[in-house]
């Protein structure tokens, strides 16, 4: 019965996350903040995370999210529309515009991979976000390549098979969040002069456990304070 209950919780989580991201993607503008919120949700321990964490993360980082959202709309949405238009109307092909669109799309894809993890784990300005987003890629080249390939696959689905996209709205953010968070730990461990294992153990030891042996959420109720400490 316990296994069935856990399975049911995963199914419910899958449905809720998929619906939230699908609705935000349909509305376009909320999609970027929602993506960051979902990464903040996945950052929490699986036994303690709540859907409230999504909106708490967005609320705690709203200032940088406004600029980051505008940045992503310009650098991702317009290139996608250009590429889609040229694909549908090859007789109107403009190779210069197509090349610029592809370059802009590649840059946007990189920040779709790195920026949410930076925002969730650090208190940054937009300028710092741009710099740290690039640096995060060097925390693990193979993990970065896999994350970029994942975003590239999603962009390809948007262009050619958009009806399949909803099936990826849970798995893609979960995978990218896990990979890039691991990159973040590697960079932080290198900067602090400890091993990744020791860093993760220290983070676990810092969790305050209540009388039932569960993580006390009081330390994570105010992500803005935690981000300032990071």
């Amino acid at each position: 019965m316990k296994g069935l209950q856990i399975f049911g919780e995963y199914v419910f989580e899958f449905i809720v996350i998929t619906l939230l991201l699908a609705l935000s993607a349909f509305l376009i503008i909320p999609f970027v903040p929602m993506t960051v919120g979902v990464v903040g949700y996945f950052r929490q321990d699986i036994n303690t995370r709540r859907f409230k964490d999504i909106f708490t993360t967005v609320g705690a980082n709203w200032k940088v999210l406004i600029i980051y959202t505008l940045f992503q709309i310009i650098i991702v949405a317009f290139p996608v529309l250009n590429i889609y238009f040229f694909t549908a109307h090859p007789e109107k092909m403009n190779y210069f515009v197509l090349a610029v669109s592809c370059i802009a799309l590649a840059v946007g894809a990189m920040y779709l991979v790195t920026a949410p993890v930076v925002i969730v784990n650090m208190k940054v300005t937009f300028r710092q976000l741009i710099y740290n987003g690039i640096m995060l890629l060097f925390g693990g080249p193979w993990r970065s390549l896999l994350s970029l390939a994942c975003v590239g696959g999603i962009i390809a689905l948007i262009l050619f098979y958009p009806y399949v996209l909803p099936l990826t709205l849970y798995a893609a953010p979960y995978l990218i969040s896990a990979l890039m968070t691991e990159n973040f730990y590697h960079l932080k461990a290198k900067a602090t002069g400890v091993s990744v294992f020791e860093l993760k153990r220290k983070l676990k030891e810092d969790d305050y456990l209540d009388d039932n042996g569960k993580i006390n959420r009081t330390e994570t109720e105010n992500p803005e304070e935690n981000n300032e400490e990071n």
Side-chain angles (χ1 to χ4, degrees):
M1 290 297 293
K2 186 176 180 180
L4 186 61
Q5 179 183 352
I6 294 174
F7 176 75
E9 291 174 353
Y10 272 113
V11 171
F12 181 68
E13 181 180 85
F14 171 84
I15 293 172
V16 172
I17 296 296
T18 299
L19 288 177
L20 285 174
L21 287 174
L23 178 60
S24 64
F26 177 76
L27 297 174
I28 300 176
I29 294 178
F31 179 71
V32 173
M34 186 61 64
T35 302
V36 174
V38 169
V39 171
Y41 170 79
F42 286 137
R43 179 177 180 266
Q44 304 295 339
D45 182 83
I46 190 171
N47 296 314
T48 60
R49 63 192 183 205
R50 299 169 297 185
F51 295 122
K52 177 184 176 182
D53 296 327
I54 298 173
F55 305 99
T56 303
T57 301
V58 173
N61 300 282
W62 67 271
K63 291 181 181 179
V64 70
L65 280 175
I66 291 176
I67 305 176
Y68 173 59
T69 299
L70 293 175
F71 169 78
Q72 284 292 26
I73 288 175
I74 294 172
I75 208 167
V76 172
F78 288 112
V80 166
L81 291 175
N82 285 337
I83 295 172
Y84 184 79
F85 175 80
F86 290 140
T87 302
H89 304 87
E91 70 280 0
K92 297 181 179 181
M93 178 70 69
N94 184 318
Y95 289 101
F96 175 76
V97 175
L98 179 62
V100 172
S101 296
C102 290
I103 294 171
L105 193 57
V107 173
M110 181 192 73
Y111 282 108
L112 280 175
V113 165
T114 61
V117 173
V118 172
I119 293 173
V120 167
N121 289 280
M122 303 174 67
K123 188 71 174 178
V124 292
T125 63
F126 180 71
R127 185 175 180 179
Q128 293 168 335
L129 175 63
I130 295 300
Y131 173 77
N132 286 295
I134 296 174
M135 294 304 298
L136 189 60
L137 293 174
F138 297 98
W142 288 110
R143 288 186 293 270
S144 298
L145 287 174
L146 183 57
S147 298
L148 290 170
C150 186
V151 171
I154 292 174
I155 292 174
L157 288 177
I158 293 173
L159 291 171
F160 303 108
Y161 305 101
Y163 50 86
V164 183
L165 187 63
L167 298 178
T168 69
L169 291 178
Y170 178 89
Y174 181 86
L175 177 62
I176 293 171
S177 175
L179 292 171
M180 299 314 294
T181 298
E182 192 67 21
N183 274 15
F184 176 79
Y185 284 142
H186 276 73
L187 289 175
K188 187 173 182 179
K190 185 177 180 180
T192 55
V194 299
S195 68
V196 176
F197 174 78
E198 290 174 345
L199 176 63
K200 291 182 177 180
R201 186 180 64 180
K202 181 65 168 59
L203 291 174
K204 269 195 170 184
E205 289 174 352
D206 287 344
D207 287 332
Y208 176 78
L209 301 182
D210 62 18
D211 294 336
N212 297 319
K214 295 183 178 180
I215 297 175
N216 190 325
R217 298 275 314 195
T218 55
E219 294 185 6
T220 59
E221 289 297 334
N222 193 341
E224 188 168 353
E225 292 181 2
N226 290 343
N227 282 342
E228 288 176 357
E229 292 176 2
N230 288 333

